[in-house]
Amino acid sequence: MDPVQFPHRFSKREDIEIAAFLASAIAWGRRDLIIKSAERMFSLLGLSPHAFIMDGDYKKLKENCVHRTFFEKDLKYFCKGFKACYKKYGNLENLFASALNAPGGSGDIWEGIVLFREEMAKGNGGVYTKHIANSEANSACKRINLSLRWLVRREGPIDLGIWKGISPSLLIIPLDVHVGRVSRSLGLLASGRQANDKKTAIALTEKLRGFCLEDPIKYDLALFGMGAAL
């Protein structure tokens, strides 16, 4: 079972976006525990996570644990941030697209990741959270890139593909220890560099673009599956 099952449960665009970012936010550790925690989290959000957020129902959240170091207070942080983002941009794709299309910008997905983190902090009075990685501190931002893969990629039965305005060619591999280990064993990454950081995620993505320029991240599932099996 994969955490992407949770955004697949919804049909409304806003609910799918929110579910993708929340499911990926707790996607670390044992897969069975991730699924159990996600079930608990989405039970709190009800039939429509978007309505739960925009109606302010998140204010009723308490301090209970959701998943390992992710508590209801962290879920409340995401809810407050999402509410601010939806009020400003209409949807989360517009947020990322505005960063990618900004004059003078690099036009890559990292610009969107930076803006997402900044806007989520603004929605929380300028406070940042450890549960939204900082790419400017050289984080590979595995969980954010995972949610972006789900939302942008249009091929296959797993990914959602609801963001039509962002090309899959811009995606970055969701790099974790499993993907990094397999990529080094296959010679896709230099074995001498062991850090699974932003620099490594970019290097691996560039290597995969050599195989498929239009959709380099289609190899993510194969690399992750091989790594998890080792």
Side-chain angles (χ1 to χ4, degrees):
M1 295 186 292
D2 194 283
V4 75
Q5 68 177 276
F6 293 95
H8 271 290
R9 294 179 180 183
F10 301 100
S11 57
K12 182 180 174 182
R13 174 197 180 94
E14 294 84 355
D15 290 332
I16 295 170
E17 289 182 334
I18 292 167
F21 278 97
L22 286 177
S24 66
I26 63 169
W28 84 96
R30 280 173 43 186
R31 185 61 59 91
D32 60 328
L33 296 181
I34 294 171
I35 300 302
K36 183 177 180 180
S37 297
E39 291 283 8
R40 183 184 309 119
M41 177 170 64
F42 282 98
S43 71
L44 295 171
L45 300 174
L47 297 177
S48 172
H50 181 254
F52 179 89
I53 289 168
M54 302 310 290
D55 292 343
D57 292 340
Y58 61 85
K59 296 174 184 177
K60 302 174 185 177
L61 292 171
K62 304 184 187 307
E63 299 293 325
N64 299 318
C65 179
V66 174
H67 179 68
R68 301 180 70 174
T69 63
F70 191 98
F71 291 82
E72 286 187 32
K73 65 179 181 180
D74 300 303
L75 179 56
K76 184 182 293 186
Y77 178 100
F78 272 80
C79 290
K80 290 173 67 177
F82 284 140
K83 185 172 185 176
C85 289
Y86 277 99
K87 283 186 173 182
K88 184 173 181 178
Y89 294 95
N91 62 60
L92 299 182
E93 181 181 6
N94 288 342
L95 185 159
F96 277 82
S98 71
L100 269 60
N101 299 324
S106 65
D108 66 32
I109 204 70
W110 296 107
E111 298 279 357
I113 291 173
V114 169
L115 181 60
F116 174 68
R117 181 171 179 269
E118 292 296 324
E119 294 291 6
M120 292 292 279
K122 287 180 183 178
N124 285 274
V127 176
Y128 295 90
T129 173
K130 65 182 179 181
H131 294 291
I132 299 179
N134 182 8
S135 64
E136 295 182 307
N138 204 31
S139 170
C141 298
K142 176 255 182 178
R143 283 172 278 172
I144 297 177
N145 281 314
L146 178 60
S147 61
L148 293 174
R149 193 203 90 187
W150 292 341
L151 293 165
V152 173
R153 284 200 74 249
R154 296 144 204 169
E155 301 296 329
I158 294 178
D159 296 312
L160 299 150
I162 65 168
W163 285 8
K164 306 300 184 183
I166 296 177
S167 171
S169 65
L170 297 175
L171 294 173
I172 298 292
I173 191 79
L175 178 64
D176 63 7
V177 62
H178 302 298
V179 172
R181 182 171 61 248
V182 168
S183 298
R184 291 180 181 92
S185 70
L186 295 175
L188 298 173
L189 287 171
S191 59
R193 192 170 194 282
Q194 295 300 312
N196 293 318
D197 55 15
K198 178 181 177 181
K199 183 177 179 180
T200 302
I202 292 172
L204 178 55
T205 302
E206 287 302 311
K207 190 73 172 181
L208 297 175
R209 285 194 177 113
F211 304 132
C212 183
L213 182 62
E214 297 81 14
D215 187 13
I217 311 308
K218 70 179 183 179
Y219 304 104
D220 175 42
L221 280 175
L223 292 172
F224 177 83
M226 291 174 65
L230 293 178

